[in-house]
Amino acid sequence: MYHILLATGAVALMAGSVAAQTGPAATAPAANPLLADWTGPYGGVPPWDKVKPELFPAAFEASLAERAADYRRIADNPAAPTFANTFVPMQLAGQRYGRVMTLFGVMTGNMNTPAYQALDREWSPKFAAASDAITFDPKLFARIEAVHAARATLDPQQQRLVTRTYDSYVRQGAKLTPAQKVQLSAYNQELASAFSDFSRRLLADENKAILVTDAAQLAGIPDSVRAVAKAAAAERGQTGWAIVNTRSAVDPVLTFATDRALREKVWRAFVDRGDNGDANDTNATIARIVKLRADRAHLLGFKTHADWRMQDTMAKTPAAAMDLMMRVWPAAKARVGEEVRDMQAIADKGATKITIEPWDYRFYQEQVRKSRYDLDQAQLKPYFELGNIIQGSLYAANRLYGLNFKEITGTVPVFEPNMRVWHVTDRNGREVGLFYRDDFARSGKRSGAWANTYRGQRKLAPAQTVLSSNNNNFARGAKGEPILISLDDAQTLFHEFGHAIHAMLQNVTYPGLAGTPRDFVEYPSQVNEHWLLTRDVLDKYARHYQTGAPMPQALLDKIEASKTFNQGFATAEYLSSAIVDMKLHTVADGVVDPDAFERATLTEIGMPKELVMRHRLPQFNHLFSSDSYSAGYYSYLWSETMDADTFAAFEEAGSPWDKPTAERFARILLSTGNETDRAAAYRDFRGRDPDVNALLKKRGFPTTAAR
């Protein structure tokens, strides 16, 4: 599953970065390249070529001190509080610190060496304390409170910024007693340390690989996948083939390998990440995180962590999120039963009688696909050459939204030599910003796919353009070999690019109104997936890497016919993860044994024994590397309800390229950040609330499940 990294918390709402603490005087920017203003063309670019772990401690200290001074000036201002003298400077406070933290956050996600891990362990609790020092400042909050009380005199955007900021500060503890604030800050610092600990342990397990030395064990696996495994072994100084413990490497083996013992070995290594009772086991860390979250929620006046987290979401309550999930779960579970029966029928015809187990699911689902639709995933890969699919994503963004992309790779600094960069302008030639891609898996890079915004757009002077990035973990083969990706990988590429489009189309004045609720964040990216399989994109860009021929209509017809195939598996593995997340974070006292809780919850909801959660708790990075998706993994389903209904609007207009629909979608929903309530904005776009039947239809489930 994919996700986007966003700033959270009261201070992040104000200026898009974490707050500062008092400290030594700021070092002159020239003394440390991490502290220097971003210079060069395109409004300035990150100095990736100068980033070194040893430079960060001094940069942290100096930029934290500078940010503290920014906020101190606001809090100590003797003039009566106004929007202009309180909220505007808060929007602009700590910009140097924000840039330093952008550099650090990207490095810990993409190039996480032991040196960066040590920095993260040491500084994460300090950052949490710094944020709390701002949020808990009574003089600052008094000014916020005063402007909030007089907000009726402000324009609508200013009113929304003031209200959201005030509410956020209250949720983060600004009204607690001094003793309660000390306790809350202790919880936040402990959590920051635990998040760092979880990430370090999981990354260690994901950097492992299974070595195969007998080529016979790789029977059935396509040559392109073997080449990737061969390159991975060579990178580790080994002969043979290395199957790295990440999804992009594991899934093809589970799909194609005829050696059942290899499938089981690879599957067990993957699903047991963080759950092996060794130095990398994450269970104790998870238990600590869940307990701390519950205690923090109680201190803040909430029954559970989920109740606290969902205050600023579209769903509003855990019950509303659970209601949507449990409307879909029975249909998903029933479909899994049908899929297993189809797979078992094929397995029963084999020479060796087996009962379908989780490590068999992808393999036999592929056999059913071939049998029912005459469609082999291996047939598709030759048409999904990475460079071509990237160009297809840019083409769709240009045709829909008027964004123009000119590649400038090699002209601006990058942190990894295989990265690519584009200069982006709008249909009128105006500057939008830059778009970076970091596509390949490597040691030290966390798993999954995500989007980052190095710099967000704002109209508040001084205005800023966008620096956006996509990060994937596609497998890179031997040098000179074409990089062929699966249909699932191509959908991931379009998904993450949807986040970038959202960032690039943003047109807001105040940074504090840029970030959207968690259960809206995935909506623009999920909508963008729909354009991958449009005939125009396929004809121009899904061309056979050897012959150059476009994907035959007959093959596309097979893909279309099989669109709802295996949706039981896809829905149940995701939804079980989301349900466990929500139930875990509604345990009132937060006392859990993660493994036992996972097993009990899956038994309670009737999880089919033939599959596992997409993210088991011991490796659930979304939940335990930060607070960002905790009690929020349901958001993909919530967003998909809007996504399916949105694409239906294009279909109702007669074309996926319908210009008036695309313009309304961009103007009302993509460009406005959080300047208006997102549910109201959706109703403005669609004329009504989203229809869950569109989601059920998209997944091939009975629409009678809706109510």
Side-chain angles (χ1 to χ4, degrees), residues 161-321:
L161 177 64
V162 169
T163 299
R164 285 182 50 75
T165 302
Y166 173 82
D167 290 347
S168 180
Y169 266 70
V170 172
R171 279 196 307 273
Q172 302 293 333
K175 284 191 169 184
L176 296 179
T177 67
Q180 289 173 322
K181 289 177 180 178
V182 170
Q183 181 62 71
L184 179 56
S185 189
Y187 288 151
N188 288 337
Q189 291 175 62
E190 287 185 65
L191 279 165
S193 294
F195 297 152
S196 177
D197 183 52
F198 176 88
S199 298
R200 175 186 60 81
R201 291 169 185 264
L202 181 57
L203 183 63
D205 263 10
E206 290 180 339
N207 280 338
K208 295 177 181 177
I210 291 173
L211 185 65
V212 177
T213 56
D214 182 359
Q217 286 187 279
L218 303 179
I221 297 177
D223 290 343
S224 60
V225 177
R226 292 191 193 204
V228 168
K230 191 80 171 176
E235 182 185 350
R236 286 162 171 75
Q238 297 170 318
T239 58
W241 300 264
I243 301 166
V244 184
N245 207 18
T246 59
R247 194 176 301 278
S248 61
V250 164
D251 279 1
V253 175
L254 297 179
T255 302
F256 298 112
T258 58
D259 188 324
R260 192 179 188 223
L262 177 64
R263 293 203 307 268
E264 181 178 0
K265 185 177 182 180
V266 168
W267 179 86
R268 289 192 183 280
F270 187 68
V271 303
D272 286 340
R273 289 167 296 149
D275 196 26
N276 294 297
D278 57 10
N280 297 328
D281 193 280
T282 62
N283 282 284
T285 304
I286 292 169
R288 179 178 162 216
I289 289 171
V290 175
K291 175 60 175 168
L292 285 166
R293 282 172 169 164
D295 291 344
R296 178 178 60 184
H298 298 158
L299 183 61
L300 288 165
F302 293 89
K303 181 180 177 183
T304 69
H305 175 71
D307 288 288
W308 176 64
R309 281 287 296 158
M310 295 188 69
Q311 293 299 299
D312 187 30
T313 63
M314 297 181 74
K316 300 299 184 187
T317 66

Side-chain angles (χ1 to χ4, degrees), residues 674-697:
N674 206 354
E675 290 182 333
T676 59
D677 177 79
R678 294 295 81 192
Y682 188 89
R683 285 191 291 272
D684 186 18
F685 167 68
R686 201 68 172 98
R688 54 169 172 73
D689 287 326
D691 182 3
V692 73
N693 279 319
L695 164 66
L696 297 169
K697 180 182 177 183

Side-chain angles (χ1 to χ4, degrees), residues 70-135:
D70 288 346
Y71 274 96
R72 190 76 268 135
R73 280 191 297 273
I74 298 167
D76 291 343
N77 187 343
T82 65
F83 184 87
N85 68 21
T86 301
F87 279 79
V88 170
M90 288 179 78
Q91 292 290 283
L92 301 172
Q95 293 185 73
R96 194 182 313 282
Y97 180 71
R99 291 193 295 270
V100 170
M101 289 305 293
T102 292
L103 299 175
F104 184 63
V106 170
M107 298 311 287
T108 54
N110 294 273
M111 308 289 285
N112 204 6
T113 62
Y116 281 114
Q117 292 175 21
L119 284 170
D120 195 38
R121 284 195 301 275
E122 177 186 355
W123 282 89
S124 287
K126 296 179 182 180
F127 300 147
S131 180
D132 290 339
I134 299 300
T135 306

Side-chain angles (χ1 to χ4, degrees), residues 363-411:
F363 180 80
Y364 282 100
Q365 102 188 0
E366 192 64 13
Q367 308 308 306
V368 174
R369 192 196 314 268
K370 292 177 188 175
S371 172
R372 183 174 299 170
Y373 303 104
D374 189 27
L375 179 63
D376 182 341
Q377 289 292 334
Q379 291 176 267
L380 300 178
K381 267 197 167 185
Y383 294 95
F384 291 122
E385 192 278 323
L386 176 60
N388 288 343
I389 300 307
I390 290 172
Q391 290 303 312
S393 70
L394 304 182
Y395 162 80
N398 172 263
R399 186 168 174 186
L400 286 165
Y401 310 117
L403 294 173
N404 300 293
F405 298 84
K406 179 183 179 182
E407 186 159 9
I408 59 166
T409 300
T411 66

Side-chain angles (χ1 to χ4, degrees), residues 302-542:
F302 293 89
K303 181 180 177 183
T304 69
H305 175 71
D307 288 288
W308 176 64
R309 281 287 296 158
M310 295 188 69
Q311 293 299 299
D312 187 30
T313 63
M314 297 181 74
K316 300 299 184 187
T317 66
M322 283 297 297
D323 179 65
L324 174 63
M325 290 190 283
M326 297 314 295
R327 287 164 72 175
V328 178
W329 176 252
K333 189 167 63 169
R335 182 60 57 82
V336 169
E338 297 170 10
E339 292 169 2
V340 171
R341 285 192 292 275
D342 291 341
M343 293 188 292
Q344 191 64 57
I346 289 180
D348 289 344
K349 296 175 183 177
T352 304
K353 304 302 179 187
I354 66 139
T355 299
I356 298 295
E357 298 285 356
W359 50 88
D360 299 314
Y361 208 115
R362 292 182 185 275
F363 180 80
Y364 282 100
Q365 102 188 0
E366 192 64 13
Q367 308 308 306
V368 174
R369 192 196 314 268
K370 292 177 188 175
S371 172
R372 183 174 299 170
Y373 303 104
D374 189 27
L375 179 63
D376 182 341
Q377 289 292 334
Q379 291 176 267
L380 300 178
K381 267 197 167 185
Y383 294 95
F384 291 122
E385 192 278 323
L386 176 60
N388 288 343
I389 300 307
I390 290 172
Q391 290 303 312
S393 70
L394 304 182
Y395 162 80
N398 172 263
R399 186 168 174 186
L400 286 165
Y401 310 117
L403 294 173
N404 300 293
F405 298 84
K406 179 183 179 182
E407 186 159 9
I408 59 166
T409 300
T411 66
V412 296
V414 293
F415 55 79
E416 209 281 331
N418 291 306
M419 288 180 69
R420 299 175 67 185
V421 189
W422 287 261
H423 178 221
V424 188
T425 54
D426 68 13
R427 57 169 48 95
N428 298 310
R430 289 185 297 239
E431 182 97 358
V432 172
L434 298 184
F435 172 58
Y436 296 71
R437 294 197 65 90
D438 174 26
D439 279 316
F440 303 113
R442 58 180 170 270
S443 179
K445 185 178 183 181
R446 67 179 180 82
S447 64
W450 65 96
N452 276 120
T453 301
Y454 303 159
R455 182 177 68 214
Q457 171 274 340
R458 71 162 186 248
K459 289 187 288 188
L460 181 66
Q464 287 185 168
T465 55
V466 177
L467 301 176
S468 180
S469 81
N470 279 181
N471 309 269
N472 292 291
N473 270 282
F474 300 141
R476 187 175 181 86
K479 188 175 182 179
E481 292 290 321
I483 300 166
L484 307 180
I485 61 176
S486 67
L487 174 59
D488 184 61
D489 283 341
Q491 288 169 330
T492 296
L493 189 153
F494 266 68
H495 176 102
E496 296 305 333
F497 189 54
H499 286 306
I501 290 171
H502 190 195
M504 290 184 282
L505 291 180
Q506 183 173 280
N507 185 30
V508 303
T509 298
Y510 303 110
L513 294 179
T516 60
R518 173 57 59 199
D519 44 12
F520 184 93
V521 164
E522 298 298 335
Y523 162 54
S525 53
Q526 289 178 194
V527 170
N528 200 57
E529 293 180 39
H530 289 276
W531 277 272
L532 169 64
L533 293 178
T534 56
R535 187 71 260 183
D536 282 16
V537 170
L538 294 176
D539 283 346
K540 290 179 172 65
Y541 300 101

